């Protein structure tokens, strides 16, 4: 055992040395290898009868008919076309080139490069608790503060369109949320809690609802079961509110349950038009549990205050939460921009501003818009209705397309209500990208835009939604190469079929020109080296 373990470091060290030597030789000595190959070809020209082989090959090629060349170029065009189609599909789905990915993953380590880290495992755990990987801390997945009700809203969308608005990954995160939030200490589970813990893990909605009724049969005061029924079985907001009120009366002193139920009751009141009541409930909840800021209840409050057009109260909330030490969100940044834009947008004119310049208030509004766009560049296209909206997911990725969808879904109406605000946004938002350094190695007002948002958003958003990508990726080299190769070989096939004799003359001229440097090199070698030297060398 000692011998075997002791030899491993030596073998590993030899492998690493071999790799480094190969990398060095590949980088710096390629031209030497090429020269040696040419010399070997010249030395073995007579012993291997390469001249006779080339002559017979040329005779064979001359006997081929033009149909052969048409078939050859046509087959090459077909194969390169198939490769092009696969590369394009792979790029559209995964955002990278398949050939490039394989080259980087398997060939680059052999040539001394650094292996690229896999993209799996980029997502954090529930409610923004990050995986133990600091390099992807910016790709936390957060609970959507304004997420819809499954039974009363998401399911109704499915009944009408036949499409599933939630991904399995998104629903699985919600199941983990509920398990963590409602079951607490797993070592002291009551029978009904054990049933509910399994209920949250069920993939089938009907199985979850049956498990909730089973928990109620065990204990009629199982508040978590009523929460599940309110979320998933209730087909209207009124019915969901009734079930949440039932759950609130039996929740006891469970803080997690109380906070969740009161928040959802406030959201029910907001959806049913009792906005002042909803605002009061949210304020009371924030006062009662001030340490639960990570639940982002203030974002619910901001949306409700905007619906009331209580802009002074909105500004007061922003003054408390739009702080440099607190994490930002699209709601914070874009609401701040909306308030500043609202103050000048009704009289804003691009033509007048270009003549006289921007006033101080207009400059503040434009800077606020630039700040918001830098934080999340996906939002403006939804607000300006350049992209179609979908139902927001239950979890979002800050600065990603999922957060943009969630923000625009609830706040588009508030931007429309402020006269001229969308016009000001339309005129100024693209100017942000002239301020942000490119490439995105550093940001302007925020940290550099993370590169992992596209992968996470594809997991959170349904497949029928076209994920917004920033910065826009250029087409990989291999897609352009295969497109050019496919077009070139198809053109050769067509020309050879139409003009066989002319293409034959062209091919001969091309290959004679191509091999002219090799003949020139051989003649020079003959003149420099004595013939007796080559004769003795070939005898060896």
């Amino acid at each position: 055992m000692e011998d075997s373990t002791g030899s491993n470091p030596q073998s590993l060290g030899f492998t690493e040395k071999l790799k480094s030597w190969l990398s060095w030789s590949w980088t710096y000595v390629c031209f030497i290898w090429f020269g040696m190959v040419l010399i070997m070809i010249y030395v073995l020209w007579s012993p291997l009868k390469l001249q006779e082989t080339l002559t017979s090959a040329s005779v064979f090629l001359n006997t081929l008919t033009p149909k052969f060349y048409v078939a050859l170029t046509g087959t090459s065009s077909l194969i390169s076309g198939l490769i092009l189609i696969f590369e394009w599909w792979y790029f559209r789905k995964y955002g990278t080139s398949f050939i490039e990915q394989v080259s980087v993953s398997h060939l680059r380590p052999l040539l001394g490069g650094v292996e690229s880290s896999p993209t799996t495992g980029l997502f954090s755990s529930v409610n923004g608790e990050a995986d133990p990987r600091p390099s992807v801390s910016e790709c936390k997945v957060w609970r959507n503060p304004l997420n819809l009700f499954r039974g009363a809203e998401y399911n109704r969308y499915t009944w009408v369109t036949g499409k599933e608005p939630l991904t399995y990954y998104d629903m699985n995160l919600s199941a983990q949320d509920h398990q963590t939030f409602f079951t607490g200490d797993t070592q002291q589970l009551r029978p009904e809690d054990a049933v509910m813990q399994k209920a949250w893990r069920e993939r089938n909605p009907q199985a979850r609802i049956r498990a909730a009724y089973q928990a109620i049969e065990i204990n009629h005061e199982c508040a978590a079961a009523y929460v599940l029924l309110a979320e998933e079985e209730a087909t209207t907001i009124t019915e969901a509110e009734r079930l949440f009120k039932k759950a609130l009366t039996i929740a006891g002193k469970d803080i997690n349950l109380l906070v969740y139920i009161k928040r959802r009751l406030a959201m029910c009141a907001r959806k049913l038009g009792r906005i002042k009541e909803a605002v009061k409930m949210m304020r009371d909840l924030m006062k009662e549990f001030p340490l639960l800021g990570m639940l982002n209840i203030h974002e619910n409050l901001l949306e409700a205050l905007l619906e009331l057009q209580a802009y002074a109260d909105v500004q007061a909330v922003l003054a408390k939460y739009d702080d440099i030490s607190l994490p930002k969100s699209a709601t914070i940044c874009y609401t701040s921009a909306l308030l500043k834009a609202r103050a000048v947008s009704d009289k804003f004119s691009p033509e007048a501003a270009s003549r006289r310049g921007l006033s101080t208030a207009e400059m503040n509004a434009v800077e606020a818009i630039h700040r918001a766009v830098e934080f999340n560049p996906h939002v403006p296209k939804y607000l300006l209705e350049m992209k179609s909206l979908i139902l927001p997911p239950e979890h979002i990725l800050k600065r990603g397309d999922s957060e943009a969808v969630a923000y625009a879904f609830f706040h588009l109406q508030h931007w429309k209500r402020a006269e001229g605000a969308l016009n000001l946004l339309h005129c100024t938002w693209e100017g942000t990208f002239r301020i942000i350094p490119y490439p995105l190695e550093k940001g302007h007002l925020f940290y550099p835009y993370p590169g992992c948002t596209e992968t996470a958003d594809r997991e959170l958003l349904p497949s029928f939604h076209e994920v917004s990508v920033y910065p826009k990726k250029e087409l990989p080299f291999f897609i352009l190469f295969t497109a050019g190769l496919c077009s070139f070989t198809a053109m050769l096939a067509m020309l050879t079929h139409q003009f066989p004799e002319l293409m034959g003359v062209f091919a001969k001229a091309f290959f004679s020109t191509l091999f002219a440097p090799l003949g020139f090199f051989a003649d020079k070698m003959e003149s420099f080296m004595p013939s007796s030297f080559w004769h003795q060398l070939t005898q060896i």
Side-chain angles (χ1 to χ4, degrees), residues 400-419:
D401 191 33
S402 52
E403 184 190 37
V405 169
Y407 172 79
F409 184 85
F410 294 101
H411 289 262
L412 175 58
Q413 56 181 330
H414 307 313
W415 279 82
K416 287 184 174 181
R417 188 179 294 124
E419 183 182 353

Side-chain angles (χ1 to χ4, degrees), residues 193-270:
D193 293 334
V195 173
M196 287 307 301
Q197 192 174 42
K198 293 180 181 178
W200 298 121
R201 290 199 301 264
E202 288 286 351
R203 188 170 183 177
N204 189 313
Q206 296 303 318
R208 290 195 292 270
I209 293 172
R210 286 195 299 269
Y213 279 114
Q214 182 183 349
I216 292 174
E217 290 178 2
I218 297 174
N219 183 359
H220 290 288
E221 295 188 350
C222 181
Y226 285 102
V227 168
L228 189 147
L229 295 177
E231 292 283 354
E232 305 213 17
E233 189 185 40
T235 56
T236 64
I237 300 297
T238 304
E239 187 180 352
E241 185 181 40
R242 179 184 61 82
L243 289 168
F244 276 122
K245 287 181 177 179
K246 173 69 174 175
L248 183 62
T249 60
I250 58 178
K253 296 182 180 180
D254 191 326
I255 294 179
N256 290 342
L257 266 174
L258 286 173
V259 172
Y260 186 90
I261 294 170
K262 288 183 177 181
R263 179 182 194 165
R264 295 304 259 177
L265 281 171
M267 294 175 70
C268 287
R270 162 68 183 91

Side-chain angles (χ1 to χ4, degrees), residues 179-415:
Q179 280 181 280
T180 306
F181 216 60
F182 298 142
T183 55
D185 188 2
T186 56
Q187 296 181 352
Q188 298 179 354
L189 287 179
R190 297 170 298 179
E192 63 271 20
D193 293 334
V195 173
M196 287 307 301
Q197 192 174 42
K198 293 180 181 178
W200 298 121
R201 290 199 301 264
E202 288 286 351
R203 188 170 183 177
N204 189 313
Q206 296 303 318
R208 290 195 292 270
I209 293 172
R210 286 195 299 269
Y213 279 114
Q214 182 183 349
I216 292 174
E217 290 178 2
I218 297 174
N219 183 359
H220 290 288
E221 295 188 350
C222 181
Y226 285 102
V227 168
L228 189 147
L229 295 177
E231 292 283 354
E232 305 213 17
E233 189 185 40
T235 56
T236 64
I237 300 297
T238 304
E239 187 180 352
E241 185 181 40
R242 179 184 61 82
L243 289 168
F244 276 122
K245 287 181 177 179
K246 173 69 174 175
L248 183 62
T249 60
I250 58 178
K253 296 182 180 180
D254 191 326
I255 294 179
N256 290 342
L257 266 174
L258 286 173
V259 172
Y260 186 90
I261 294 170
K262 288 183 177 181
R263 179 182 194 165
R264 295 304 259 177
L265 281 171
M267 294 175 70
C268 287
R270 162 68 183 91
K271 292 174 185 293
L272 293 172
R274 306 195 308 270
I275 305 173
K276 290 184 178 180
E277 178 186 343
V279 168
K280 183 179 184 306
M281 295 172 69
M282 292 173 192
R283 289 189 185 277
D284 292 342
L285 189 58
M286 294 168 66
K287 288 179 182 178
E288 188 177 358
F289 304 101
L291 299 179
L292 295 179
M294 72 280 193
L295 298 178
N296 297 321
I297 303 174
H298 60 276
E299 296 195 10
N300 299 80
L301 179 61
L302 283 172
E303 196 281 326
L305 290 172
L306 285 172
E307 182 64 21
L308 287 175
Q309 300 185 46
Y311 296 112
D313 292 336
V314 172
Q315 186 62 58
V317 176
L318 286 176
K320 182 177 180 181
Y321 289 96
D322 194 4
D323 186 83
I324 192 171
S325 62
L326 297 177
K328 298 292 182 290
S329 67
T331 301
I332 293 290
C333 294
Y334 277 90
T335 302
S336 177
L338 173 60
L339 292 190
K340 293 181 180 179
R342 177 182 165 273
V344 298
S345 59
D346 57 336
K347 299 178 182 178
F348 177 77
S349 170
E351 294 79 11
S354 63
R355 289 195 305 267
R356 59 173 169 79
L358 295 175
S359 65
T360 304
E362 289 172 339
M363 183 64 71
N364 291 337
V366 171
E367 289 177 353
I369 289 175
H370 286 174
R371 171 178 178 262
V373 174
E374 181 182 353
F375 182 83
N376 193 316
H378 309 285
V379 172
K381 287 189 176 182
Y382 294 107
L383 293 180
L384 298 172
E385 299 181 90
M386 299 166 65
K387 284 196 70 175
S388 57
L389 272 173
I390 60 171
L391 295 186
E394 293 184 336
H395 290 80
I396 60 173
L397 182 70
K398 289 190 175 183
R399 307 188 75 178
D401 191 33
S402 52
E403 184 190 37
V405 169
Y407 172 79
F409 184 85
F410 294 101
H411 289 262
L412 175 58
Q413 56 181 330
H414 307 313
W415 279 82

Side-chain angles (χ1 to χ4, degrees), residues 425-530:
L425 176 68
H426 174 73
C427 295
T428 57
W429 75 278
E430 291 182 329
T432 309
F433 306 116
R434 293 192 293 269
I435 301 173
I436 302 174
Y438 187 85
L440 303 178
E441 297 173 352
K442 59 180 181 179
H444 178 59
L445 298 175
F446 299 99
Y447 289 109
Y449 190 82
C452 56
T453 57
E454 180 186 359
T455 307
D457 281 330
R458 290 187 188 278
E459 295 285 340
L460 291 171
L461 296 169
S463 58
F464 59 81
H465 174 71
E466 184 180 353
V467 175
S468 177
V469 178
Y470 175 79
K472 204 68 177 179
K473 291 189 175 180
E474 298 179 357
L475 286 177
F477 165 76
F478 287 104
I479 289 183
L480 300 175
F481 175 77
T482 50
L485 181 63
C486 177
S487 304
F488 178 70
T489 50
M491 183 183 67
L492 283 182
M494 183 185 67
L495 292 175
T496 307
H497 177 71
Q498 294 292 330
F499 312 103
E501 295 181 359
L502 183 62
M503 290 302 293
V505 173
F506 174 77
K508 290 179 181 179
F510 173 76
F511 283 110
S512 62
T513 306
L514 182 66
F515 289 109
L518 184 62
F520 176 78
F521 175 77
D523 293 340
K524 288 297 181 182
M525 291 292 292
E526 286 281 0
S527 61
F528 285 140
M529 298 293 181

